[in-house]
Amino acid sequence: MKDLAAKGCRLCGHSCLVDRRKGRVGRCGAGVDVGFAQAVIHYGEEPPLSGLSPRDGGSGAIFFSRCNLACAFCQNWQISQTEGGGVDIEVNELANIMLDLQQAGAYNVNLVSPTPYVVEIALALSLAKSQGLTIPIVYNSGGYDSLRALAIMDGLVDVYLPDAKIGQNPLLAPGDPDSVAMRLFGAGDYATVNQIALKEMLRQVGHLALDSRGLATRGLLVRHLVLPDDLARTTLVLPWVAENLGVETCISLMAQYHPNHRVRSDDLREFREFPGLTRPLSVREYDAAVALAWELGLENSFIQDLAAATLYRPNFNKPNAFN
């Protein structure tokens, strides 16, 4: 299994074919070891993952460092797009972290940005489960996962929690790169790869299922961050989800956009053609996205308060990024 990631890496849409066994790093910056940033009990995920109140168990989030995407406004940029944002650990250490989160009362093990490390994660899960890990496994990715990566995770993941960051540009010919997706997310073929991945995730785990406490036990929950000026093409993403994944699909419509990382209101020279990125989402824009979801029959949607734009700003220089 190790060779699947190390020799000719094809774990994400970039398919950079780097031989990580020889100490080389892929486009994401990952090498032979697991890049680990932080493990916390997280209360800010969707209710089926974190529970209904801070007194509940929370989601056992493991934040991996480095990322296969390069989102211009990434809120986790301190660990995803900078050197020194974490430490390298081995498989047995990762397994112990999973077991520690379960011991601390977490409802699930929430693997955040796991794509470059799916082989090591699969090995760690096998080890942890042999030592008593029983809580659900959540695969929380940017949605730019290859079928190869998802094949490794098949049977190991209980809940898929992918992003659907941007819709397909209908004016492009098949195979043509999307310049907006490239500038904003670092992947000109993001929508194509994402749509294939979402279909495979649904095939593996089906629609979201909850237990008697309202906690996710299995299934797909798709996240979509609504951007100002419809830059994420919400008006295309939601109809695609309804038509291709079904109106039963659980959608988290996120309103928490805030200018961050390379997109800041005081330094937008690189993104001057996207003026909407300098401001938070407006009430009108988010209400329109919610109305579209209802119109399409996507009633299993989580609606976020616009105040989330100020609440969810992690600082990974602190022991707990969300405190």
Side-chain angles (χ1 to χ4, degrees):
M1 183 182 289
K2 189 79 171 178
D3 287 352
L4 292 176
K7 185 176 182 180
C9 188
R10 288 180 284 171
L11 295 178
C12 76
H14 293 309
S15 192
C16 66
L17 300 177
V18 164
D19 189 344
R20 289 160 57 182
R21 294 181 310 172
K22 295 182 178 179
R24 296 171 184 155
V25 299
R27 183 167 173 171
C28 61
V32 294
D33 295 315
V34 177
F36 167 75
Q38 197 170 104
V40 299
I41 301 294
H42 190 11
Y43 300 103
E45 303 285 42
E46 288 78 6
L49 301 175
S50 289
L52 298 178
S53 78
R55 294 187 299 275
D56 288 343
S59 181
I62 300 176
F63 289 89
F64 296 96
S65 59
R66 312 181 186 101
C67 184
N68 59 324
L69 293 170
C71 300
F73 41 82
C74 179
Q75 68 175 19
N76 295 350
W77 65 271
Q78 292 166 309
I79 61 172
S80 66
Q81 299 184 38
T82 61
E83 291 296 326
V87 297
D88 288 335
I89 62 173
E90 297 182 353
V91 165
N92 65 315
E93 295 176 275
L94 180 57
N96 288 335
I97 290 169
M98 296 174 179
L99 291 166
D100 288 344
L101 289 168
Q102 177 173 268
Q103 182 64 31
Y107 288 136
N108 46 66
V109 171
N110 182 353
L111 306 166
V112 185
S113 299
T115 310
Y117 308 111
V118 293
V119 172
E120 291 78 14
I121 288 170
L123 295 171
L125 282 170
S126 177
L127 181 59
K129 288 183 177 184
S130 73
Q131 298 178 22
L133 182 70
T134 58
I135 55 178
I137 305 303
V138 180
Y139 187 91
N140 180 348
S141 82
Y144 194 60
D145 306 275
S146 72
L147 290 178
R148 175 174 290 245
L150 297 178
I152 295 170
M153 290 288 98
D154 194 0
L156 296 174
V157 170
D158 299 292
V159 178
Y160 277 108
L161 182 64
D163 291 329
K165 292 184 181 292
I166 191 169
Q168 190 80 263
N169 185 343
L171 301 179
L172 293 176
D176 285 353
D178 183 339
S179 61
V180 175
M182 185 66 203
R183 294 292 299 282
L184 299 187
F185 308 112
D189 61 347
Y190 177 86
T192 299
V193 173
N194 179 246
Q195 290 174 0
I196 293 171
L198 294 181
K199 288 180 179 179
E200 172 60 15
M201 292 174 182
L202 180 62
R203 185 199 69 77
Q204 288 186 19
V205 298
H207 291 294
L208 195 68
L210 309 179
D211 66 13
S212 60
R213 300 169 295 174
L215 297 175
T217 58
R218 186 173 175 82
L220 174 68
L221 198 171
V222 179
R223 282 176 168 169
H224 176 68
L225 177 64
V226 184
L227 294 180
D229 295 340
D230 197 30
L231 285 171
R233 302 184 190 128
T234 303
T235 49
L236 298 176
V237 170
L238 296 184
W240 184 90
V241 168
E243 180 178 350
N244 292 274
L245 304 182
V247 293
E248 313 97 314
T249 305
C250 192
I251 297 280
S252 179
L253 274 179
M254 298 188 294
Q256 66 192 58
Y257 175 75
H258 181 81
N260 199 12
H261 187 31
R262 288 162 47 221
V263 176
R264 299 187 302 275
S265 58
D266 61 340
D267 185 15
L268 196 65
R269 289 166 294 184
E270 184 183 353
F271 300 96
R272 61 171 59 92
E273 68 266 46
F274 306 120
L277 294 181
T278 64
R279 62 175 176 82
L281 193 68
S282 72
V283 173
R284 176 185 58 81
E285 289 169 320
Y286 188 61
D287 284 350
V290 173
L292 177 59
W294 295 154
E295 179 185 332
L296 292 166
L298 292 167
E299 298 181 357
N300 294 331
S301 298
F302 288 98
I303 308 306
Q304 198 174 45
D305 194 295
L306 283 175
T310 59
L311 294 176
Y312 299 115
R313 297 189 197 174
N315 181 356
F316 286 92
N317 291 323
K318 300 192 300 184
N320 186 324
F322 296 91
N323 281 347

